[in-house]
Amino acid sequence: KQWYQRRVRVCGTTRDTFHGRTVLRLEYEAYESMAVRVIGEIVAELRGKHVRRVYVAHRTGVVPVGHVSIVVGASSPHRGAASEFVGRAVDEIKARAPIWKKEWYEDGGVWKKN
């Protein structure tokens, strides 16, 4: 069994500000069964021949400031393949998966596409 030394992971955390406004927390909702299917499709599309192992997790519910809402990781014999996969996967998940977030500010909340 070959061990792949090149591992790359991105952890997306809730920021405390957005466009100069103080963020109190995020709240995520998802069409879960479709989100799982879409994320699986994204992984299959982007994986290529060099990415060996992949991990994707996205939280739903309340995510406080500083806490992780998405993790995408990949391992590969070459760092470049794992890095490219992780970056593109995060972008595609945000664009295509049916996951929505509500950003809560001091003066109320706003629903947004993830």
Side-chain angles (χ1 to χ4, degrees):
K1 180 176 172 179
Q2 186 173 0
W3 181 253
Y4 299 100
Q5 295 296 320
R6 308 299 184 254
R7 287 173 271 167
V8 177
R9 178 183 64 207
V10 168
C11 298
T13 58
T14 302
R15 294 177 285 213
D16 60 354
T17 59
F18 183 74
H19 291 295
R21 297 175 74 186
T22 299
V23 175
L24 303 177
R25 66 185 179 279
L26 298 179
E27 193 173 314
Y28 287 94
E29 287 189 9
Y31 181 174
E32 189 173 346
S33 61
M34 185 180 283
V36 169
R37 182 179 57 78
V38 169
I39 290 170
E41 291 169 358
I42 292 166
V43 167
E45 290 169 16
L46 298 180
R47 189 174 206 151
K49 65 180 182 178
H50 297 295
V51 173
R52 301 295 193 252
R53 294 193 175 154
V54 171
Y55 177 82
V56 177
H58 199 301
R59 289 179 60 178
T60 55
V62 174
V63 182
V65 169
H67 288 237
V68 175
S69 56
I70 185 171
V71 177
V72 177
S75 66
S76 172
H78 306 285
R79 179 186 61 210
S83 293
E84 181 179 348
F85 172 87
V86 168
R88 290 184 61 201
V90 169
D91 291 342
E92 289 296 315
I93 290 166
K94 290 176 71 94
R96 294 169 43 192
I99 301 169
W100 304 272
K101 70 180 173 185
K102 189 171 191 178
E103 292 183 352
W104 285 95
Y105 305 101
E106 294 170 329
D107 59 350
V110 177
W111 281 103
K112 298 182 175 185
K113 175 76 171 105
N114 189 20

